[in-house]
Amino acid sequence: MPAPSLPTARVIQVDTRGAIILEEESPETRDSRGIYFPNHIEPVSHVAVDVGGSLAKVVYFTRSPEPPASPSIAATRGSSSTPEPFTPRSNSPSAELPTSSSPSSSNIRHNGALTPLVLDSQNYAEGFTLSTEMLRDTMLRRTSQHFPGGSLNFERFETDNIHECVEFIQSLIERSAKVNDVSIEDMRKSVKIMATGGGAHKFYELFKDTLCVEVRREDEMECLIEGLKFITLIPDEAYYFSDELIQSVSHPLPSASAQPSLLPPTGSNGILERPLERPGPNPPKFAVTFESNPTFQLPCLLVNIGSGVSIIKVDEDGQFERVSGTSLGGGTLWGLLSLLTPATSFDEMLKLSEQGDNATVDMLVGDIYGQDYSKLGLKSTMIASSFGKVFKKGKGKGTFSPEDISKSLLYAVSNNIGQIAYMNAEKYNLERIYFGGCFIRGHAATITTLSYAIRFWSKGTKRALFLRHEGFLGSIGAWIKNIGPESS
């Protein structure tokens, strides 16, 4: 008599009520902390993979009836500075849970398991009678698997080491079969890989043949937008540098004495009395503000910074169009710094940049004029030419530290992306500009530079918004797109 099989995956509805974002495990994983959904009930057995040119991002859901310890509850709003390295947190009431003795997010990530859909007695052949013992076992399994609570988990791997990603998913499937007390064959029948990004096509056979599961390929841009729409509804996921400048332009304060001291004053018409400094090194650090009560925020512009940069216009009804982009993105920074510094990972490169002084590498306004160029609002410390001091006619090449080179190149790429983003937002009259992609990685200098570039070029009328899970939009979108058979 054949054993009952596990049902195939179906459409899921994620219950996000009371969702909390967990504490990061370390500065290197600050963009991949888990999200705990205390009220979600439906079992989930599919895994999403977004394979880009540099990184492969994995998203999967594990059951956890007890809330993990150390949710992000520390306040930063109202602070006048940004912590280094940047680790945004929140004091939203939705995130305030007491620290418990339950497993940490690290333990859940490595010990958690996918949950196959429950065994259904209707799967048994007609005429087959369940024994009392088997019926009790089936009911207990159904009850335990419908216990509310679980975590959305995030992992990333270098695409050059894609086999590590495949091995991780393989171990997840094997562990899940053991935890759920089902055979590996039945577990594979329940698991589905939702793949997106260029690697969904390049590595399709690798995933399919090695994991022996169904692999469904999803459109990259669709997944990005679906991921954005979903993740921005999570409390304290989206954040931005403080509102003061935007308010001072669009809603001028009644008196000069009430205006924030960090900002130049505005006239009676709300226009700035003197121009902002052009984006350059060490822009002002404003306080971090979180969207603790998020609502659906469309239309918007999504600037996805991966190996390259895609700029996507999203209409109020969710329709989207890739309207611009640039090849100078995270892969550019990663590649050039690999040639110019001893760093072997992107996190090492970001760490080097935190310790650098770009003025030894960049040509500044003061190097050209010997002073400020006040008529154009250019201070002597503004960057006139990125890497402009590296080589001068008649002089040999200088020796520059890896730290200084890293900071100069980070500023060059970030300022360039910020200006292109502004021009597209202006062209399509969009005020909300979301920045996503693994380039940002919650890094203070990157966030500050992009924010200030948008502030300057828009004269304070547009806002740069960031996401805790900035690099996982595509994989999140693929995860929630488990919506039926693949279209031909």
Side-chain angles (χ1 to χ4, degrees):
M1 188 176 303
S5 61
L6 294 170
T8 57
R10 61 187 176 189
V11 177
I12 63 167
Q13 298 294 329
V14 182
D15 190 338
T16 59
R17 291 175 302 159
I20 58 172
I21 299 174
L22 307 179
E23 180 64 83
E24 70 275 4
E25 296 173 31
S26 70
E28 286 70 31
T29 60
R30 55 182 174 260
D31 63 332
S32 55
R33 64 193 80 184
I35 303 177
Y36 185 69
F37 298 110
N39 294 298
H40 183 70
I41 293 177
E42 284 194 81
V44 181
S45 57
H46 62 277
V47 178
V49 185
D50 177 12
V51 187
S54 302
L55 295 172
K57 289 78 65 177
V58 179
V59 170
Y60 62 99
F61 184 84
T62 57
R63 308 296 295 157
S64 176
E66 295 295 327
S70 302
S72 299
I73 60 175
T76 56
R77 284 187 295 178
S79 171
S80 60
S81 63
T82 305
E84 296 278 359
F86 182 61
T87 53
R89 303 181 185 185
S90 170
N91 62 349
S92 166
S94 64
E96 293 180 355
L97 288 180
T99 301
S100 68
S101 58
S102 54
S104 68
S105 58
S106 177
N107 289 335
I108 285 173
R109 174 165 301 174
H110 298 293
N111 297 329
L114 304 172
T115 305
L117 298 178
V118 295
L119 290 172
D120 192 330
S121 60
Q122 294 179 356
N123 287 338
Y124 289 85
E126 186 175 354
F128 175 65
T129 303
L130 286 172
S131 67
T132 303
E133 185 174 317
M134 293 179 67
L135 181 61
R136 182 170 61 250
D137 178 71
T138 301
M139 292 176 66
L140 286 173
R141 182 174 298 190
R142 183 183 295 116
T143 301
S144 65
Q145 289 181 344
H146 276 74
F147 196 95
S151 295
L152 197 59
N153 303 278
F154 304 86
E155 297 283 351
R156 64 171 179 263
F157 305 85
E158 291 186 14
T159 303
D160 286 345
N161 301 324
I162 191 65
H163 288 281
E164 291 183 7
C165 176
V166 176
E167 289 170 5
F168 173 82
I169 298 175
Q170 177 73 6
S171 66
L172 179 62
I173 293 172
E174 293 173 353
R175 185 169 67 246
S176 301
K178 184 176 181 180
V179 169
N180 289 284
D181 194 25
V182 299
S183 68
I184 186 66
E185 291 78 15
D186 280 340
M187 192 69 215
R188 284 173 176 154
K189 291 177 184 177
S190 186
V191 172
K192 180 185 299 181
I193 302 297
M194 311 294 289
T196 189
H201 304 276
K202 183 177 181 180
F203 300 111
Y204 174 80
E205 298 296 336
L206 175 65
F207 281 106
K208 184 175 181 294
D209 296 342
T210 305
L211 299 175
C212 301
V213 300
E214 178 186 352
V215 179
R216 180 184 297 178
R217 289 170 285 193
E218 298 289 347
D219 180 76
E220 182 176 2
M221 292 299 165
E222 287 183 10
C223 288
L224 280 173
I225 303 308
E226 290 301 317
L228 176 69
K229 291 193 294 185
F230 175 80
I231 203 68
T232 51
L233 293 179
I234 302 298
D236 305 308
E237 170 70 31
Y239 62 93
Y240 51 90
F241 277 15
S242 58
D243 246 359
E244 293 96 342
L245 184 56
I246 294 171
Q247 289 297 322
S248 70
V249 173
S250 58
H251 303 287
L253 297 172
S255 65
S257 61
Q259 299 194 31
S261 59
L262 291 175
L263 302 171
T266 59
S268 57
N269 59 356
I271 302 301
L272 298 175
E273 291 181 354
R274 64 176 184 271
L276 292 168
E277 299 173 6
R278 288 183 181 271
N282 304 315
K285 294 181 179 179
F286 294 90
V288 175
T289 301
F290 288 85
E291 296 194 334
S292 299
N293 298 296
T295 56
F296 207 54
Q297 297 286 357
L298 296 179
C300 69
L301 195 73
L302 172 60
V303 183
N304 194 60
I305 314 173
S307 299
V309 182
S310 288
I311 298 180
I312 308 163
K313 175 176 71 74
V314 188
D315 297 332
E316 57 185 8
D317 59 357
Q319 297 296 310
F320 64 90
E321 177 186 2
R322 186 183 187 274
V323 293
S324 187
T326 173
S327 62
L328 305 181
T332 308
L333 183 68
W334 195 339
L336 289 176
L337 290 184
S338 294
L339 293 172
L340 300 173
T341 74
T344 58
S345 72
F346 197 47
D347 287 308
E348 286 183 29
M349 296 171 191
L350 293 178
K351 192 170 183 178
L352 285 174
S353 71
E354 293 171 359
Q355 304 162 5
D357 178 8
N358 71 296
T360 64
V361 178
D362 295 337
M363 183 179 294
L364 307 181
V365 169
D367 296 321
I368 300 174
Y369 292 95
Q371 59 184 2
D372 295 347
Y373 191 172
S374 302
K375 188 175 182 179
L376 294 183
L378 301 179
K379 278 201 167 184
S380 61
T381 54
M382 294 298 102
I383 299 172
S385 173
S386 296
F387 279 72
K389 289 180 181 174
V390 172
F391 182 80
K392 290 186 177 181
K393 188 175 182 180
K395 294 185 179 180
K397 293 183 180 179
T399 301
F400 303 91
S401 74
E403 292 81 2
D404 297 347
I405 291 171
S406 298
K407 193 156 196 173
S408 171
L409 193 58
L410 178 68
Y411 278 141
V413 173
S414 299
N415 276 319
N416 183 60
I417 293 172
Q419 185 171 10
I420 295 173
Y422 157 72
M423 289 190 293
N424 279 277
E426 183 71 11
K427 178 179 179 180
Y428 297 104
N429 195 29
L430 297 170
E431 294 183 3
R432 297 176 68 86
I433 307 171
Y434 285 101
F435 287 90
C438 285
F439 170 78
I440 301 170
R441 298 285 271 277
H443 189 245
T446 308
I447 294 169
T448 302
T449 303
L450 290 171
S451 294
Y452 200 61
I454 297 299
R455 284 178 183 275
F456 170 79
W457 295 112
S458 71
K459 296 183 172 62
T461 60
K462 301 186 188 300
R463 172 187 293 164
L465 298 109
F466 302 90
L467 304 162
R468 293 181 189 261
H469 296 89
E470 60 224 350
F472 291 89
L473 293 183
S475 48
I476 292 171
W479 184 74
I480 63 174
K481 274 175 64 67
N482 185 26
I483 54 176
E486 186 177 26
S487 58
S488 56

